């Protein structure tokens, strides 16, 4: 079916608005096909250019070349059909294509230089600057590492105009050439040039992510670790929002590999693995494969070669060792192909040096809470299996599951006489679907071996497991029978342990009284056995249950105190922290949190240097929160950073800790750190809420609000809007109008900043509806006024007038108190009315509303807003040929407008024009003259 030119142009516009991907590419291909069939050469030219870009983003770079060739031949065959705009686009495209040709080693240097000669001829024939030609030639020389030629082309590029001051890509060329040269002098120059960009003092029309990525390794080598970490996070945020070449992702991966951040590097690698196999641009593939191989070699050397790596969003998997081999081989083979093409060994030498590079630092912390993961204490080779099983059980009793699992793994396949015990501990520590079968087999094996005590303990563990996995009656019966027999053995330690498991099974059966009786019996036998682990476990379990049952806080505290003493003696820091936490909750319920805080201070002061880091971290976390509650976020941060960092180093931090840290950062004015902390736990908190495992579910939304506001403060509006959109979705799912208002108003304000006025109006409308549901008349009025003004800016005059009527009605419904809110409501409504009525040609009413708005804003101390209204008021009077009335109003606007702002400039220009019309030329010149 044929399509008209208008239809195809609309299809192309639609494709341009789509996200990159197969659907966009297919639509563009359809436009090209129909345009060719209809002889629509100019439209086909434009569509091919867009399609080539889509192919490049989709990693199909080779498909761009024939599209360019077709456009070039079409242009040469029909030069009269194409205007200056097409000529300009073709020239820029030619420079890009000629440069891209060098990234394919199968394209000979003769072909590449031939393209440059043809391109230069075309530029000269049209009388155009050769700036683009020299830039492309320079980049090709840089790729071949022909530094004399690169320097010649660089100087020619500079002479022809050089870098555009607003272009991050032109500035990147300046930095990249120095970084790739790699000598000390060049790197010093790169660091000096990039410094103002990294500090945010020089900005471009696009984010400086390319500069940040290029400078990661040089900053780290220079020992400027904090700047490197900041550049890493800023680049990562920017790259969330747009499509960047694989090389930039590779720079992040390689930086992580060289600075002891293998886990972060592996995460960055996974993000790109889905597209890596189909990346059809050899230079980009070589660079990324090299970076990946550097990271993966580190992991292989750390003994992680058998771990599985999965590409994000794909089913593609490799082992670390397999992927290292593949990437290392790919990097070397591609480098060799480039060297054969170029007739040098330059690329191979560079790639081999990177692949063999030693680490820059043992560990470069990427965040204030980052810590080098502690290396586990090695298990001495030759440790007897029985000792390993003893150690595994010792750690399990203290809830140190990672260490317990290491000991169990080190035991390997045990000798026959230890097989039952190994199976039992495997079920206890690892759990899994086969745990019941392991417990049953071990219990029977113990019985057959004549080890009656172990048989009974294993039966208790089996019964406890059954009661927790949906077989309460069977589990309770099993453990009760075994405990009864344990009492007949007279082994106080095992009786105490059995009663602990019996009590837990009874709780599953909802027989709390019997459970407390079992704990009391167990505690008596634990004291006789003088076993601190069991004394602590029984006391802590009862304290925890009594707290849930709202028993007298003093009773809970007394039990927790017993547990703390026992666990201190047993050397069980994890369980000791749990006892502290029960004490805290009891104090909170008793209304004495200050007593607990004072106790924390005392404990911290008395802690010896050898105290467990886990305990110190917990106490500092609680003190940090207390300082936050006292309004001292800057003082709280040191404690919170240390506490979260300690927990994170053990992979034992919680999502709520991350949230509290983000809150503290934000309160202390450290917005970037707050964003990083909130982003780290946002998805985690959402997941915990879904599972019903958050004590305060609302913190998932509070954290995302903090994240969105942080992005907005940093100017990352698209990321902020993504977070607000998620919040609005959550609010609708939870039927939470307050959250919906908190998400929609900033969303509308972002649309305002981006001049997307129709979208802003829609968001304000929805926010106003949600505010009305809340019964918040003040917010409702503000949203209605903002909606009306956005509709006006969107060119929807009639709808703006209708929305203004609703805003005035909502404002009239405001209560008289608080007076400031009423004044603000009328100020904003009058402001909207002034603009809307002026646009509708209703000047007398618009003048009245502008005057009222200015007066209301002055009452509120909002002088800049008042000046804006005076400027509008004076401008309307000037348009009505009443400069005499306009002068005092515009003079008031000029006096109130902040110096150096666009508002101040507009007011001075308007006043100068007014004075000119009044014949006061000298005054007009004085007003219009810029200040010294």
């Amino acid at each position: 079916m044929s399509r008209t030119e208008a239809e195809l142009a609309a299809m192309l516009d639609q494709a341009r608005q789509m996200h990159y991907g197969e659907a966009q590419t297919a639509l563009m291909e359809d436009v090209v096909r129909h345009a060719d069939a209809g002889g629509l050469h100019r439209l086909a030219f434009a569509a091919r250019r867009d399609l080539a870009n889509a192919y490049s983003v989709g990693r199909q770079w080779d498909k761009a070349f024939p599209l360019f060739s077709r456009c070039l031949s079409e242009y040469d065959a029909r030069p009269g059909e194409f205007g200056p705009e097409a000529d300009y686009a073709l020239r820029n495209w030619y420079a890009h294509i000629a440069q891209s040709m060098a990234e394919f080693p199968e394209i000979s240097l003769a072909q590449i230089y031939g393209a440059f000669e043809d391109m230069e001829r075309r530029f000269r024939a049209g009388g155009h600057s050769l700036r683009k030609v020299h830039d492309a030639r320079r980049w090709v020389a840089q790729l071949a590492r022909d530094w004399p030629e690169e320097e010649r082309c660089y100087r020619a590029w500079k002479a022809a105009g050089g870098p555009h001051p607003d272009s991050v890509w032109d500035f990147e060329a300046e930095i990249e050439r120095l970084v790739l040269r790699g000598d000390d002098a060049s790197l010093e120059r790169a660091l000096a040039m990039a410094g103002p960009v990294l500090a945010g003092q020089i900005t471009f029309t696009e984010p400086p992510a390319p500069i940040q990525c290029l400078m990661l390794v040089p900053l780290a080598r220079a020992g400027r670790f904090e700047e490197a970490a900041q550049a890493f996070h800023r680049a990562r945020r920017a790259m969330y929002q747009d499509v960047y070449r694989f090389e930039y992702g590779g720079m992040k991966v390689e930086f992580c590999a060289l600075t002891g951040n293998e886990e972060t590097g592996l995460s960055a690698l996974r993000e790109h693995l889905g597209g890596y196999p189909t990346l059809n641009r050899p230079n980009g593939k070589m660079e990324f494969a090299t970076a990946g191989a550097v990271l993966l070699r580190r992991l292989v050397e750390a003994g992680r070669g058998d771990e599985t790596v999965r590409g994000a969003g794909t089913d593609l998997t490799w082992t670390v060792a397999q992927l290292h081999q593949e990437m290392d081989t790919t990097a070397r083979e591609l480098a060799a192909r480039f060297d054969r093409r170029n007739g040098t060994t330059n690329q191979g030498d560079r790639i081999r040096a990177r692949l063999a590079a030693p680490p820059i630092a043992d560990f470069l912390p990427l965040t204030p809470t980052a810590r080098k993961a502690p290396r586990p204490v090695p298990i001495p080779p030759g440790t007897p299996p029985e000792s390993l099983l003893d150690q595994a059980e010792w750690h399990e009793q203290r809830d140190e599951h990672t260490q317990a699992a290491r000991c169990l793994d080190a035991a390997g396949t045990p000798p026959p006489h230890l097989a039952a015990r190994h199976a039992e501990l495997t079920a206890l520590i690892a759990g899994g679907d086969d745990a019941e079968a392991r417990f049953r087999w071990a219990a029977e094996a113990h019985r057959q071996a004549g080890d009656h005590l172990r048989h009974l303990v294993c039966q208790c563990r089996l019964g406890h497991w059954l009661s927790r996995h949906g077989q309460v009656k069977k589990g309770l019966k099993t453990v009760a029978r075994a405990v009864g027999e344990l009492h007949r053995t007279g082994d106080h330690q095992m009786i105490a342990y059995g009663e602990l498991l019996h009590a837990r099974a009874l709780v599953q059966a909802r027989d709390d009284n019997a459970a407390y009786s079992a704990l009391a019996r167990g505690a008596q036998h634990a004291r006789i056995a003088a076993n601190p682990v069991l004394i602590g476990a029984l006391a802590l379990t009862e304290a925890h249950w009594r707290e849930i049952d709202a028993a007298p806080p003093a009773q809970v505290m007394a039990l927790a105190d017993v547990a703390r003493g026992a666990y201190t003696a047993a050397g069980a820091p994890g369980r000791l922290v749990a006892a502290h936490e029960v004490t805290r909750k009891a104090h909170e319920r008793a209304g004495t949190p200050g007593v607990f805080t004072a106790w924390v201070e005392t404990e911290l002061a008395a802690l010896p240097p050898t105290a467990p880091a886990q305990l110190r971290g917990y106490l500092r976390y609680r003190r940090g929160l207390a300082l936050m509650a006292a309004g001292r976020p800057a003082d709280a941060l040191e404690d919170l950073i240390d506490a979260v960092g300690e927990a994170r180093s053990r992979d034992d931090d919680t999502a709520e800790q991350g949230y509290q840290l983000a809150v503290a950062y934000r309160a202390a004015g450290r917005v970037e750190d707050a964003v990083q902390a909130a982003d780290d736990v946002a998805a985690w908190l959402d997941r915990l809420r879904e599972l019903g495992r958050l004590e305060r579910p609302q913190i998932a939304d509070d954290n995302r609000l903090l994240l969105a506001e942080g992005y907005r403060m940093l100017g990352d509006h698209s990321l902020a809007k993504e977070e607000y959109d998620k919040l609005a979705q959550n609010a609708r799912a939870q039927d939470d109008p307050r959250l919906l208002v908190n998400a929609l108003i900033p969303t509308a304000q972002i649309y305002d900043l981006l001049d997307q006025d129709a979208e802003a109006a829609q968001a304000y409308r929805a926010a106003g509806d949600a505010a009305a549901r809340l019964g918040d008349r003040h917010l409702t009025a503000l949203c209605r006024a903002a909606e009306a003004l956005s509709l006006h800016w969107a060119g929807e005059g009639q709808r703006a007038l209708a929305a203004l009527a609703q805003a005035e009605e909502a404002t009239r419904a405001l209560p008289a108190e608080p007076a400031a809110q009423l004044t603000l409501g009328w100020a904003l409504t009058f402001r909207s009315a002034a603009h809307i009525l002026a646009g509708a040609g209703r000047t007398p009413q618009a003048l009245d509303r502008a005057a009222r708005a200015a007066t209301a804003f002055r009452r509120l101390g909002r002088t800049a807003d008042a000046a804006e209204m005076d400027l509008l008021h004076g401008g309307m009077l000037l348009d009505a040929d009443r400069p005499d009335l306009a002068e005092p109003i515009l003079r008031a606007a000029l006096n109130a407008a902040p110096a150096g702002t666009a508002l101040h400039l507009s007011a001075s220009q308007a006043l100068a024009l007014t004075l000119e019309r009044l014949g006061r030329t000298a005054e007009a010149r004085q007003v219009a003259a810029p200040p010294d």
Side-chain angles (χ1 to χ4, degrees), residues 98 101-104 107-117 140 341:
M101 289 168 66
E103 298 200 70
F104 291 77
I107 300 178
S108 70
L109 292 178
Q111 290 174 285
I112 297 167
Y113 293 145
F116 273 120
E117 289 166 8
V140 171
R341 195 268 306 274

Side-chain angles (χ1 to χ4, degrees), residues 81-357:
E81 292 188 23
F82 300 94
E85 186 176 331
D87 177 68
Y88 176 79
L90 186 66
R91 281 187 282 109
N92 283 344
W93 192 9
Y94 206 160
H96 175 70
I97 285 291
Q99 180 174 315
S100 299
M101 289 168 66
E103 298 200 70
F104 291 77
E106 61 270 24
I107 300 178
S108 70
L109 292 178
Q111 290 174 285
I112 297 167
Y113 293 145
F116 273 120
E117 289 166 8
D118 180 57
M119 176 173 61
E120 185 168 339
R121 177 185 60 77
R122 291 171 182 271
F123 272 71
R124 288 186 183 279
H128 304 297
S129 166
L130 297 182
R131 177 178 167 277
K132 288 278 186 183
V133 178
H134 295 315
D135 186 27
R137 282 188 180 275
R138 185 208 65 77
W139 192 88
V140 171
Q142 174 182 284
L143 181 65
R145 300 182 72 76
D146 183 348
W147 296 118
E149 174 66 7
E150 191 275 341
E151 182 67 25
R152 185 191 70 79
C153 294
Y154 173 72
R155 293 180 182 278
W157 175 56
K158 295 279 281 190
H164 192 286
D166 291 335
S167 172
V168 70
W169 305 107
D170 283 356
F171 193 87
E172 181 204 27
E174 298 264 27
I175 299 298
E176 185 181 40
R177 64 190 297 268
L178 297 172
V179 171
L180 289 178
R181 285 176 182 238
D183 59 278
D184 290 345
S186 294
L187 290 175
E188 282 295 325
R189 286 178 60 201
L191 287 164
M193 287 182 67
V197 175
L198 298 174
Q201 297 163 355
I202 294 177
T203 59
F204 309 101
T205 55
E206 294 181 73
I211 314 301
Q212 290 157 348
C213 290
L214 276 167
M215 295 307 299
L216 289 173
V217 170
L219 284 168
R221 291 197 190 282
R224 293 160 63 171
F225 288 0
E226 287 189 14
E227 292 173 76
Q230 185 180 66
F232 177 84
H233 290 300
R234 288 179 175 178
R236 190 178 72 159
R237 283 202 309 273
M239 292 169 72
Y240 282 158
Q241 305 175 62
D242 211 339
V243 178
Y244 286 83
R245 287 187 169 206
F246 266 64
E247 288 93 318
Y248 299 110
M251 292 173 197
K252 293 191 299 177
V253 170
E254 190 165 356
F255 165 73
C256 290
L258 295 173
T259 56
N261 289 284
E262 290 84 3
E263 284 304 321
T264 305
L266 191 56
S267 176
L269 182 68
R270 289 193 191 100
E271 291 172 8
H272 293 81
L273 283 180
Y276 169 73
T278 58
L279 176 58
N280 190 18
R281 183 170 54 86
N283 181 57
K285 191 154 194 168
M286 175 183 69
E287 295 293 335
F288 186 76
T290 303
V294 172
L295 171 72
L296 295 163
R297 173 174 62 86
R298 298 269 294 166
L299 295 175
V300 170
E301 290 171 350
R304 299 174 59 181
D306 292 334
E307 287 185 21
T308 299
V309 182
R310 181 186 298 275
T314 76
D315 293 327
L316 298 172
T317 60
W318 302 261
T319 66
V320 166
Q322 288 169 343
L323 187 56
H324 170 252
Q325 181 64 40
E326 195 281 330
M327 288 188 146
D328 186 275
T329 301
T330 295
R332 294 176 191 273
E333 289 180 350
L334 286 171
R337 287 170 57 191
F338 277 107
D339 282 343
R340 284 194 295 272
R341 195 268 306 274
N342 299 338
T344 69
T345 63
N346 291 340
Q347 283 289 21
D349 293 343
R350 182 177 70 89
I351 295 302
R352 285 186 290 272
R354 284 172 59 192
L355 291 171

Side-chain angles (χ1 to χ4, degrees), residues 701-712:
D701 291 326
D702 292 345
N703 181 77
R704 205 169 280 285
L705 266 175
L706 189 154
L707 178 59
E709 289 163 4
Y711 280 141
R712 196 172 164 204

Side-chain angles (χ1 to χ4, degrees), residues 32-41 44-46 48-49 52 63-78 82 90 93 97 122:
V32 169
R33 185 169 57 255
H34 283 286
D36 280 342
L40 304 171
H41 305 298
F45 179 97
R48 280 195 176 87
R49 179 69 183 89
K63 291 186 177 181
F65 295 140
L67 291 172
F68 170 77
S69 296
R70 176 71 181 273
C71 283
L72 188 63
S73 62
E74 289 278 350
Y75 181 87
D76 288 343
R78 301 178 179 84
F82 300 94
L90 186 66
W93 192 9
I97 285 291
R122 291 171 182 271

Side-chain angles (χ1 to χ4, degrees), residues 378-395 403-412 418 421-422 425 429:
I379 297 172
T383 302
E386 190 162 6
S387 296
L388 289 170
L389 296 183
D390 287 341
Q391 291 175 39
E393 194 156 16
W394 189 92
H395 286 299
Q403 298 95 314
R406 287 184 63 241
C407 294
L408 201 58
D409 290 342
L418 294 176
R421 191 177 174 204
H422 186 277
L425 288 174
I429 294 165

Side-chain angles (χ1 to χ4, degrees), residues 4-15:
T4 67
E5 184 172 3
E7 288 174 331
L8 291 173
M11 288 170 61
L12 184 58
D13 284 340
Q14 178 188 348

